[in-house]
Amino acid sequence: MRKKSIEKMGSRIIGLVLTAALLAGCSGGGASEETSASSEQAAGAETTDGSAQSTAEGETGGAASASGDAYTLPIGDGETDNLTVACLEGWYTAVSINDNLEIWQEIENRTGVKINWEASADYDTVMQPRIAAGSDLPDIFVVPPSMTNTGVYNLAQEGLIQPLDDLISQYAPDIQRVLDEDPELKNLLTAPDGHIYTIADTPKYVNDMVVANALFIRQDWLDTLGLEQPETIEDWYEVLTAFKNEDPNGNGIQDEIPLSGIDLASGLFSYLLSSYDLPAGVGPWWYDENGEVFCVYTTEEYKNFVTEMNRWYAEGLIDMELTRDEANFQALCATNTVGAFSHLSERETQYNNLLATSGYPEAVHSLIHHPAGTKEVQVVKRDPTWNHYAIPASSDKAELAVKWMNFVWGSDEGVTLTEWGIEGKTWEEVDGKKQYTDFVLNNPDGLDPYNALRSLGASNTILVRTPTEVYEALNGQGNAIPYAESTNMIEPFPNMMSTPEEQDILDMYSTDFDTYCSESILGFITGTTDMGEWQSFVDTLNSIGLEELRTVKQAQYNRSRGRKP
């Protein structure tokens, strides 16, 4: 073990929402928060469409602001011009996007457009019936299921959302510039019919610096017990067993929870799959060296992994509460009882500050690399895009809406506001470079840098296009970036929009298939289903659409790589 490492409508839409939620949970690489989210690429790296990727934000964020007769600021009159925007609630729960936070007030001032917010923490549940009804839709809305493109082409085929191609070329010069300079992103936003129907949250430019399924371990507990950092799955078993039995927090009570985390029931501990020669964070589908797609759950490696997780759960090494949300998990961590967990690598500072402010200043959650098997460890990146924003086909404000999206998502001025915040308050320029102020980096109210920005409405998932320099400025003091640089990260399974024929197959099989997978695997891990039933599980998968779904995934993989069917 290593001593120290760096640290056609209604029912169809309902089916899409359920399917995407289950897929996101099973993949383990989505957006815990930002992923729980979960995504956010380097020059020359292979992308999901098989091309050589352009050099991150330097190729898409440095052009001039929008200009021309069709687009000039302000775009509204500041009084009567308004838009209703439906989106996910912000990640800092102490405030609400609906309160028109300071960042968005400034955007209103600069654009002359008043925004009526409809932000919801339970967005898909709230929005789905409105879309199914096809009336009274917001001027801009996130297409459910959120955090994915799954529902986009379906709504386009139903005639509920309008193509944006002509609107972008005529009224959104900054969006056009970004798409022209990043062919991969344009490809990801282009539907099978060749049209662009949405603009998406785009964390792809920082994905090389973010490990979505990062592992954290209590380094101070390892030191107390004289243990080294675990490198293999066997090492992890020994360490977690010691955490459970040897009172590393020193309170004389056997209250330690060796392994915990957020929504373990959905993630299914996929961050440990590297020890079984599968990519850490992989979902139901992957591909071999020949580009042949297969179902991860039917492999012998996955069966062995589940067998080990069953052992851990039976011996009390895994938290019995499998559905904790972020707030619940943070409260648990504050009790000084959690030994290890998985989260975004950038959360290192936040969780160590949480322990310090809870009375445990010597406690340390250290980043640790994923356990090794017999092959090189691979860790799946977050998806390159998240929420997709559409304009209803019935809208009489499409021109105003796309101009507003051009400012917020496309222009440097808009990105500066949504990512850096307010000049003089959250950032300042020093020697020609932006840097965050103490309001962000040493917040007077004790907020971590992200929540300091989010308290004002910045750094959220609302039409984001995060530049690399923002992530570097927010995480330059900790170990998140070096950890990512030393992690062998790979692109996620291609996130391609489905053709109508493919969507019909997905609608027919996906919900039942994914529900059965999730419930069965969880049953094997917790012991409610005996491991002797594994072959029956595989046989059932084959009888409820595995090959039909695999064929769709193969076709989408082939398209992403420019391969013929």
Side-chain angles (χ1 to χ4, degrees):
M1 292 187 282
R2 180 169 43 238
K3 175 60 179 172
K4 286 193 179 181
S5 173
I6 51 175
E7 308 196 322
K8 209 189 160 229
M9 247 179 320
S11 61
R12 197 176 209 190
I13 296 170
I14 293 171
L16 286 168
V17 172
L18 291 172
T19 296
L22 287 163
L23 280 171
C26 291
S27 71
S32 123
E33 169 201 287
E34 279 132 299
T35 91
S36 192
S38 257
S39 162
E40 300 159 355
Q41 308 239 357
E46 187 183 27
T47 66
T48 52
D49 66 353
S51 62
Q53 185 175 307
S54 59
T55 53
E57 183 63 12
E59 302 244 346
T60 60
S65 296
S67 60
D69 295 337
Y71 180 94
T72 55
L73 290 175
I75 58 176
D77 61 16
E79 296 180 3
T80 60
D81 286 319
N82 63 84
L83 294 168
T84 299
V85 178
C87 62
L88 277 70
E89 184 58 274
W91 284 318
Y92 179 52
T93 57
V95 298
S96 172
I97 298 300
N98 295 318
D99 295 333
N100 199 24
L101 302 171
E102 186 172 340
I103 298 301
W104 297 100
Q105 291 177 27
E106 182 62 25
I107 289 174
E108 282 191 6
N109 293 337
R110 299 193 193 188
T111 61
V113 178
K114 177 175 175 56
I115 300 300
N116 302 308
W117 293 101
E118 294 182 354
S120 172
D122 194 16
Y123 180 83
D124 290 347
T125 301
V126 171
M127 199 65 195
Q128 176 269 325
R130 293 178 62 183
I131 294 177
S135 60
D136 188 31
L137 295 176
D139 300 306
I140 299 171
F141 65 92
V142 171
V143 175
S146 56
M147 302 302 286
T148 178
N149 65 8
T150 305
V152 172
Y153 196 43
N154 181 57
L155 293 192
Q157 291 288 294
E158 298 285 356
L160 287 177
I161 59 177
Q162 60 182 284
L164 304 182
D165 314 68
D166 291 342
L167 289 167
I168 290 171
S169 63
Q170 188 171 358
Y171 301 114
D174 289 305
I175 293 176
Q176 188 68 63
R177 166 180 56 81
V178 172
L179 299 182
D180 288 344
E181 294 175 353
D182 190 344
E184 185 218 15
L185 177 60
K186 185 175 183 179
N187 182 57
L188 289 171
L189 296 179
T190 301
D193 64 1
H195 288 296
I196 292 174
Y197 291 94
T198 57
I199 298 300
D201 290 334
T202 310
K204 70 186 286 285
Y205 302 114
V206 300
N207 267 358
D208 278 338
M209 295 184 285
V210 182
V211 182
N213 295 284
L215 286 171
F216 293 83
I217 197 165
R218 284 290 295 270
Q219 184 62 51
D220 56 311
W221 286 12
L222 292 174
D223 294 340
T224 295
L225 300 179
L227 299 173
E228 295 181 341
Q229 288 191 346
E231 292 184 330
T232 66
I233 201 69
E234 293 80 10
D235 294 340
W236 271 92
Y237 173 77
E238 293 174 7
V239 164
L240 296 179
T241 299
F243 282 178
K244 178 180 184 292
N245 297 326
E246 298 181 26
D247 191 29
N249 66 11
N251 65 359
I253 305 171
Q254 193 177 28
D255 58 353
E256 289 83 357
I257 300 175
L259 179 64
S260 184
I262 298 168
D263 199 8
L264 299 177
S266 293
L268 297 173
F269 313 98
S270 65
Y271 43 81
L272 298 173
L273 282 169
S274 54
S275 58
Y276 292 88
D277 296 334
L278 292 165
V282 72
W285 305 101
W286 201 243
Y287 51 90
D288 63 21
E289 61 275 10
N290 298 316
E292 293 300 310
V293 173
F294 62 89
C295 179
V296 171
Y297 301 151
T298 62
T299 64
E300 191 67 20
E301 291 85 356
Y302 196 80
K303 176 185 177 182
N304 293 336
F305 162 74
V306 172
T307 299
E308 182 68 11
M309 293 303 99
N310 169 266
R311 175 192 182 194
W312 289 15
Y313 190 86
E315 296 185 15
L317 306 185
I318 293 174
D319 190 353
M320 303 291 284
E321 174 52 68
L322 299 172
T323 58
R324 297 185 190 276
D325 60 17
E326 182 85 40
N328 182 288
F329 179 63
Q330 288 185 8
L332 179 67
C333 282
T335 65
N336 191 34
T337 57
V338 175
F341 63 93
S342 177
H343 211 314
L344 293 163
S345 52
E346 65 201 35
R347 292 306 194 91
E348 176 194 35
T349 298
Q350 179 184 3
Y351 274 82
N352 282 329
N353 287 347
L354 174 65
L355 283 167
T357 57
S358 301
Y360 307 102
E362 305 302 320
V364 179
H365 287 299
S366 290
L367 286 161
I368 180 173
H369 285 300
H370 297 74
T374 63
K375 298 179 181 179
E376 182 181 19
V377 171
Q378 295 179 319
V379 181
V380 178
K381 292 181 185 178
R382 297 188 295 185
D383 286 330
T385 60
W386 291 342
N387 296 309
H388 283 245
Y389 298 78
I391 299 174
S394 59
S395 173
D396 59 358
K397 297 181 179 180
E399 177 183 328
L400 183 64
V402 81
K403 285 181 176 180
W404 185 80
M405 288 197 289
N406 183 80
F407 177 81
V408 174
W409 186 90
S411 75
D412 294 343
E413 185 178 355
V415 170
T416 294
L417 283 166
T418 59
E419 296 288 354
W420 288 96
I422 304 294
E423 184 174 12
K425 182 170 185 175
T426 60
W427 69 273
E428 58 191 2
E429 192 168 298
V430 178
D431 297 328
K433 291 185 65 176
K434 293 185 182 73
Q435 66 179 33
Y436 287 108
T437 64
D438 279 347
F439 179 87
V440 176
L441 300 179
N442 297 288
N443 184 263
D445 295 323
L447 298 177
D448 69 89
Y450 284 96
N451 282 339
L453 285 166
R454 290 165 185 165
S455 71
L456 306 178
S459 193
N460 266 306
T461 177
I462 302 173
L463 285 165
V464 297
R465 184 167 61 84
T466 308
T468 56
E469 58 265 26
V470 165
Y471 193 83
E472 291 169 340
L474 282 172
N475 296 281
Q477 303 303 312
N479 295 304
I481 294 176
Y483 176 77
E485 291 173 343
S486 61
T487 298
N488 180 31
M489 290 193 289
I490 57 176
E491 300 298 328
F493 193 89
N495 189 24
M496 306 298 290
M497 292 188 196
S498 301
T499 66
E501 295 77 16
E502 290 169 350
Q503 192 60 57
D504 285 342
I505 294 173
L506 295 176
D507 289 345
M508 184 177 299
Y509 295 108
S510 286
T511 299
D512 289 344
F513 183 88
D514 295 325
T515 300
Y516 180 73
C517 285
S518 181
E519 291 179 351
S520 297
I521 293 167
L522 192 62
F524 285 125
I525 290 174
T526 59
T528 59
T529 303
D530 189 270
M531 286 301 302
E533 298 296 317
W534 187 264
Q535 187 56 51
S536 176
F537 162 69
V538 172
D539 291 342
T540 300
L541 293 184
N542 283 307
S543 71
I544 61 173
L546 185 151
E547 182 54 29
E548 290 83 353
L549 293 171
R550 194 206 66 80
T551 301
V552 168
K553 296 300 179 180
Q554 183 71 65
Q556 294 178 341
Y557 175 86
N558 290 346
R559 283 205 303 278
S560 76
R561 297 298 192 263
R563 295 169 51 176
K564 294 182 179 180

